[in-house]
Amino acid sequence: MFRTALRNVLAHKARLLMTAFAVMLGVTFISGSLIYGDSANRAATARATDGYGLIAVSVFPDDSRGGAAVAGDGPPGVDAATVAALAKVAGVAAATGRVDGFAAVADRDGRLLGHGPSHKGANFAPGAHGTDPAYRFTRGSGPTRDDAIALDETTATKGGYRVGDTVRVGTNQGPASYTLSGIFRTDGTARPAGGSLTLFTDATAQRLFLRPGRYAKADLTAAPGTGVRDLLGRVESALPPGTGAATGAQLARIQANLATNDSDTMSQILVGFAAVALFTATFLISNTFTMLVSRRTRELALMRAVGATRRQVRRVLLTESLLVGALASAAGLAAGTGVAALLRTVFAADDAPAAPLVLTPGTVLTSLLVGTVLPMVAAWLPIRRAMAIPPVAALGAAEPAQPARTGSLRTGLCAALLLAGVGAAAYGALAPGRDSRTVIGVGAALALTGAIGLIPLLARPFTALVRPLLTRLHPVHGTLAARNTVRDPRRTGATAAALAIALTLASGLSVLGASAARYLDRATTHDFTADYLVKPAEGGMRMTPDTAAPLKGLPGVRSSPLDQSTGYRLGGVPSVLTGVDPATIGGLLRYDVIEGSLDSLAEGRIAVADFKAGPAGWRVGQTLPLERQDGERGSVTIGAVYRADEQSNLLPSITAPDSLVARYDSAPSTAGVLVDTPGGPGRASLGEVTRALGDNPALAVLDQAGIRAQDSGDIGEQLNVFYALLSMALAIAALGIANTLAMSVLERHKEIGTLRALGVDRSGVSRMIRLEALLLGGLGATLGTALGVFLGWALGRTLQESVAGYALVLPWGRLAVGVLIALVGALLASVWPARRAARTDIAAATAVQ
C-alpha cells in the first residue's frame, strides 16, 4: 500500500504541486513565526540581562526595585554616605552609585537623535583606575568636567559626532550644550534599542536627575571567594531604613520577563495569521483531493475489484496526503528559517545587536506535525465520499458533479450557523457588555463557517447576477465561463471560500482602522485652533510651567500651557484641574460654551465639560468645595459649562486659570503648550518658536498635520503590517484558483478540444478561463468584503461605550482596492491554466476513446 501511494504521488506530482506549495507556504509562515519569536525572546533576554553579570548585589529605595528613585518622607534615593559605608562591608570589592534619567541628544540640525521612549542619561562613575566597568570606551574617555559628556557609539555615529564636538542635550531641567569627551560601547541594560545614552559627571547627573549627593541605587561587586547569597545577607544587615537589596541574578530575571513581552505579543500575532493561512490552505487541499479522487474513480474501483478493501484504498489515499504534507512541511521548515531572518530584519531596531536564529525541537515538531496532519484532515472528506461509491458504478464513469441542494441537510445546517453567527455578532454589538467582544468573536466564527458552507448555493445566483455584464462584453466566452463556473458549485464554493476568508479579515481591519483613524483625528485636532502644540518629542520628558515661560517674550505670539494637576476632589468627585492662561486660551482651543462665559476664567472661576458637570449635577454659579490629597482645602466657583468629547486629547475636563492651579500645586505637570503666531504656521514662525524654547531636542513643535501624523500614524503602520501578513492567505487563495482551473482544464480536455474544432481560437479559450477566474475571485471577494464590513461594524460598536465619539467609517477606497487585488490575483492565477487550455491539441482531444 505504501509503494502504491508513493507511485501515485509521483504519477500525479503536477496536480499535487500546488497543494504541496500551499502547505509549504503555511508551514513556512508558522515555523518562521515560531523561530522569530524564540530568537527575539533570546536576543531580548540577552540584551536586558547583559549588564547584570557585573553586579553581585544592588541596593535601592524599597519601592523602586533598582529603578528610578522615589520620594518618601526624606530625600529620595541613596546618599553618598550609604554608598561609602557599603563599600566597607566584608566581601564587597567595590560600591558604585548610579543615577539616571531622561536626556535627549540633538543632531547637528537640532533634531532628536534616536527613536522610541528610551533616551537616557547616567553618571560616569570611575573607579580607582579611572574607568567605569559598565562602559568600554572606543574613543576618548569619560567626562571629568561638568560641561563634558560621553555618548554611546550608535548615537555618536548617527549624529556624526567626534570627540571634541559640541553636543546639544535636553533634559527635564532644560537644554544645554556640552563638549563630547568620549564615545563608548555598553551593554543592553544601559541603552535600550533605538534610544540614546549620555554620560555626565556624578555632580551633573545628580543635579539633572535627582538631587546633589544622592544616587538612585548602588551596585556592589563581590570580592574573590565571596558568595553572592552570603554577601546579600551581610549587605541587608548593614542597610539603613528605607532601602532594600537584591542580587544581580534576581534583577536579571525581572528584566528578562519585562523584555520578552513585546516579542511574545508579536510572535502570537504572527502565529495567528499563520493559522489563518493554514486554514485557507485546507480548502485548496480538500478541493485538490476531491478532483483527484473524482478523476481516479476507475483506478480506485479497479483496486477494489482485484481484492483491495475499502480500508486499504483509504489507507493509500491518506498515505498520499501524508507524503505530500511531509515533503511540503520539511521544505516549509527550511524556508521558515529564512522568513524568520526576514522578520527579524523588519521588526528589529536599526541598532539592535545581531543574534543567532533559535530553532527549538518544539518548533520543528510543531511545524512538521501541523504540515503533515493538515493535508490528511483536509483530504478525509473527499476520500470518505469516494469510498461510498460502489466499485461497479465507479467502473462505469467518472463521478458526476454534486450540485448543492437547497433542501439538503448541509444547506440547512450552514444556514442555521450563518443566522446564529450574525445574530450573536449583532447582539454583542447592540447590547455591549463585559464579554461582548467574546460573543462577537464566537458569532464571527459561526457566521464565517456558515457562509463558507453556503457559498456553493450562492455561486449560481451570483453568476446569474454578473452574467449579463460578461455576455455584453464577450457574448460567447462570457456564457461559457458562467456555465462552467456553476457546473460544480461545491468546487466553486471551496475555491472562493479561501479568498472570502482573507477578504473578511482584510476588510474588517480596514473598517476598524479607518474608524479609529477618524476618531483619533477628531480627538487630536478638532478642538485645536492654535498654530502649534509644543509637547515632549518622546516619552520620558517632563514639561513644567517654566517650559512655556520663554514664549511669553515673543512679540505677537499668544501661548498657553496646559498644566495638569491631579489629586483633587471637587464636591466629593475625583477631578483633574488643567491650568491655562485665561487671556489667550479662547483663541487656542475651540470651546463650545453652552452655559456661562469663558471670560469667567479671568475672574478666578473654572469651566467644566458637560460630560463632567452633567453626572455630578453641577451648574454655572455653583460653588464647590475643593480638597487636595495633602489635606489642603478651598473652594471654586463654576463660571462656564462647555460641550466636549470625553476622549479629546486636548480639551480638558476642567479648565482653570493657571493662577488657581499654582495656588494649590507648586509643580503641576505640563501636558503641552499651545502657541499662536502672528504669521500663522510656516518655516519662519516654527524656527522662531523652536529657538525661543532653547533648541531643545526633547521638545516637538507640531502643527495640525504633525499632530495628526503623530497620533494616528501608528494605526496606518500596523494596518500595513497586517495587510502584508494577510497577503499569505491571499497567495494561497490564488493558488487555489489556479489549481481549480488547472484541474478543470484537465477534466474538460475533450470539451475544450471540441470548442477549438468548432472555431473558438486560442485567445477565446484563454479569455473563457480568465473570465471563470474573475467569477471565482468576484464571488469570494464580494462575500468576504460584506462579512468583513459587518464584523468591523460589530467590533466598532463595542468601542463606542468606552471610546466616546467613535463612529463607523466605511473606507470605500480601501475596500475597493481589496476587491481589485482579489480580482487581479484571480487573473494572475488563471495565466497558466488559460495558457494550457489554449494549447489543447484538437486532434488528440476529439479522438474517440
Side-chain angles (χ1 to χ4, degrees):
M1 291 294 108
F2 178 79
R3 288 196 299 270
T4 301
L6 181 59
R7 185 165 56 251
N8 287 334
V9 169
L10 296 176
H12 301 97
K13 55 182 178 292
R15 302 178 190 178
L16 292 169
L17 179 62
M18 290 191 183
T19 296
F21 191 53
V23 175
M24 189 195 77
L25 283 178
V27 173
T28 296
F29 203 172
I30 199 166
S31 61
S33 302
L34 294 173
I35 294 171
Y36 164 77
D38 292 336
S39 304
N41 279 346
R42 182 168 297 185
T45 299
R47 183 179 180 88
T49 60
D50 186 14
Y52 288 101
L54 302 174
I55 302 172
V57 176
S58 185
V59 176
F60 41 77
D62 272 341
D63 49 356
S64 68
R65 297 300 294 173
V70 293
D73 294 335
V78 179
D79 60 21
T82 300
V83 176
L86 291 171
K88 299 177 182 179
V89 173
V92 173
T96 305
R98 299 291 183 189
V99 60
D100 55 45
F102 175 81
V105 181
D107 63 13
R108 293 185 181 275
D109 295 324
R111 295 187 298 264
L112 179 68
L113 274 174
H115 57 85
S118 300
H119 299 273
K120 291 180 60 177
N123 63 317
F124 175 68
H129 301 288
T131 60
D132 189 330
Y135 311 106
R136 303 177 294 279
F137 280 83
T138 58
R139 279 161 286 177
S141 60
T144 56
R145 305 190 320 270
D146 289 346
D147 62 348
I149 60 167
L151 289 178
D152 69 271
E153 191 173 47
T154 300
T155 302
T157 301
K158 287 180 179 179
Y161 288 123
R162 298 181 180 181
V163 173
D165 287 348
T166 299
V167 182
R168 192 75 170 168
V169 180
T171 66
N172 286 332
Q173 305 299 323
S177 296
Y178 300 86
T179 301
L180 184 62
S181 67
I183 299 171
F184 61 90
R185 294 177 180 173
T186 186
D187 57 72
T189 63
R191 187 188 64 80
S196 61
L197 176 60
T198 306
L199 295 184
F200 302 86
T201 61
D202 252 16
T204 302
Q206 289 173 341
R207 174 177 58 82
L208 292 175
F209 306 134
L210 198 59
R211 186 176 296 184
R214 313 291 296 191
Y215 296 98
K217 62 178 181 177
D219 293 336
L220 314 180
T221 55
T226 303
V228 173
R229 302 304 305 180
D230 292 339
L231 182 60
L232 178 63
R234 297 172 192 169
V235 168
E236 287 179 334
S237 62
L239 289 179
T243 55
T247 65
Q250 291 172 332
L251 297 176
R253 284 194 294 271
I254 295 173
Q255 294 300 319
N257 291 334
L258 295 174
T260 57
N261 284 341
D262 290 341
S263 55
D264 281 342
T265 301
M266 180 54 67
S267 180
Q268 291 168 5
I269 292 173
L270 292 173
V271 170
F273 279 97
V276 171
L278 285 169
F279 182 59
T280 306
T282 59
F283 294 94
L284 190 156
I285 298 166
S286 180
N287 231 11
T288 300
F289 273 90
T290 297
M291 291 183 285
L292 281 176
V293 168
S294 176
R295 287 187 58 82
R296 292 166 58 191
T297 49
R298 291 176 182 271
E299 172 192 334
L300 298 175
L302 182 60
M303 292 176 62
R304 292 286 308 280
V306 297
T309 64
R310 284 189 175 189
R311 179 176 297 179
Q312 288 175 316
V313 174
R314 184 185 298 114
R315 193 179 303 158
V316 168
L317 295 175
L318 286 175
T319 303
E320 289 179 25
S321 64
L322 176 64
L323 289 172
V324 171
L327 293 173
S329 359
L333 182 60
T337 306
V339 170
L342 178 63
L343 290 172
R344 185 178 59 180
T345 303
V346 171
F347 293 118
D350 54 2
D351 56 351
L357 294 176
V358 177
L359 182 61
T360 64
T363 297
V364 174
L365 183 62
T366 300
S367 302
L368 294 179
L369 189 63
V370 168
T372 53
V373 171
L374 181 66
M376 296 177 66
V377 173
W380 176 257
L381 187 59
I383 293 172
R384 184 180 178 187
R385 191 180 300 138
M387 293 302 97
I389 302 174
V392 175
L395 283 171
E399 180 187 10
Q402 299 182 17
R405 298 185 300 275
T406 56
S408 67
L409 177 62
R410 168 179 169 169
T411 301
L413 179 60
C414 291
L417 287 175
L418 177 60
L419 291 175
V422 170
Y427 174 78
L430 299 175
R434 187 178 62 180
D435 299 324
S436 58
R437 292 175 193 172
T438 303
V439 173
I440 292 175
V442 173
L446 293 177
L448 191 57
T449 304
I452 290 171
L454 288 176
I455 288 182
L457 198 66
L458 299 174
R460 194 174 299 276
F462 177 81
T463 304
L465 182 65
V466 180
R467 184 172 178 172
L469 176 62
L470 296 180
T471 54
R472 177 172 297 183
L473 295 175
H474 303 286
V476 175
H477 311 109
T479 301
L480 291 172
R483 289 179 178 177
N484 290 329
T485 301
V486 298
R487 176 180 294 183
D488 190 343
R490 285 188 175 175
R491 180 187 301 178
T492 299
T495 305
L499 196 59
I501 295 171
L503 263 296
T504 296
L505 293 175
S507 55
L509 285 173
S510 295
V511 171
L512 286 174
S515 301
R518 176 72 61 84
Y519 158 74
L520 284 177
D521 183 33
R522 181 178 178 84
T524 54
T525 61
H526 178 264
D527 303 316
F528 182 74
T529 59
D531 292 337
Y532 297 107
L533 172 66
V534 180
K535 60 185 297 187
E538 297 286 356
M541 169 70 177
R542 184 180 185 275
M543 296 174 61
T544 66
D546 293 336
T547 306
L551 297 174
K552 298 293 184 182
L554 293 178
V557 171
R558 297 182 299 166
S559 65
S560 174
L562 298 174
D563 296 333
Q564 288 189 340
S565 184
T566 61
Y568 295 91
R569 292 187 69 85
L570 294 184
V573 179
S575 303
V576 175
L577 298 187
T578 300
V580 299
D581 184 348
T584 61
I585 191 62
L588 303 175
L589 283 181
R590 181 180 289 109
Y591 281 87
D592 183 7
V593 178
I594 56 180
E595 188 180 359
S597 172
L598 200 63
D599 294 337
S600 61
L601 292 174
E603 303 170 4
R605 300 189 176 191
I606 64 172
V608 184
D610 56 352
F611 66 81
K612 185 78 173 179
W618 296 345
R619 295 289 183 268
V620 170
Q622 184 176 354
T623 299
L624 303 175
L626 177 149
E627 182 180 357
R628 286 271 295 174
Q629 285 181 346
D630 57 11
E632 187 172 355
R633 298 176 183 273
S635 63
V636 293
T637 301
I638 299 176
V641 175
Y642 53 90
R643 187 175 290 107
D645 185 346
E646 190 171 354
Q647 300 299 319
S648 173
N649 291 352
L650 291 177
L651 209 58
S653 60
I654 299 179
T655 305
D658 47 11
S659 58
L660 176 65
V661 170
R663 186 190 312 164
Y664 294 100
D665 190 346
S666 60
S669 177
T670 302
V673 181
L674 302 166
V675 184
D676 202 48
T677 57
R683 180 173 297 181
S685 58
L686 177 63
E688 185 180 16
V689 172
T690 302
R691 286 189 296 272
L693 293 171
D695 291 316
N696 192 340
L699 296 177
V701 183
L702 305 173
D703 57 11
Q704 281 208 9
I707 297 171
R708 188 179 296 113
Q710 187 179 78
D711 290 340
S712 60
D714 288 345
I715 292 180
E717 293 177 3
Q718 292 170 1
L719 282 178
N720 290 336
V721 171
F722 291 155
Y723 291 149
L725 296 176
L726 281 174
S727 64
M728 183 70 72
L730 284 170
I732 293 176
L735 284 177
I737 293 174
N739 206 30
T740 297
L741 293 176
M743 300 290 279
S744 178
V745 166
L746 286 174
E747 292 178 351
R748 293 152 50 196
H749 184 66
K750 180 181 288 292
E751 175 188 323
I752 293 173
T754 303
L755 288 174
R756 293 278 287 113
L758 291 174
V760 180
D761 58 10
R762 289 186 173 184
S763 63
V765 172
S766 297
R767 189 177 298 117
M768 178 184 68
I769 300 300
R770 288 197 297 271
L771 290 176
E772 291 179 34
L774 280 176
L775 284 171
L776 288 171
L779 176 59
T782 302
L783 181 62
T785 301
L787 275 175
V789 169
F790 170 71
L791 295 177
W793 165 81
L795 287 172
R797 285 280 304 182
T798 65
L799 298 175
Q800 290 181 343
E801 185 175 339
S802 57
V803 182
Y806 179 93
L808 176 69
V809 175
L810 293 180
W812 296 109
R814 288 185 186 178
L815 296 176
V817 168
V819 173
L820 182 62
I821 290 175
L823 295 178
V824 170
L827 276 178
L828 293 176
S830 70
V831 170
W832 178 61
R835 186 177 181 183
R836 186 168 186 174
R839 292 184 175 183
T840 299
D841 184 89
I842 299 176
T846 57
V848 178
Q849 297 181 356

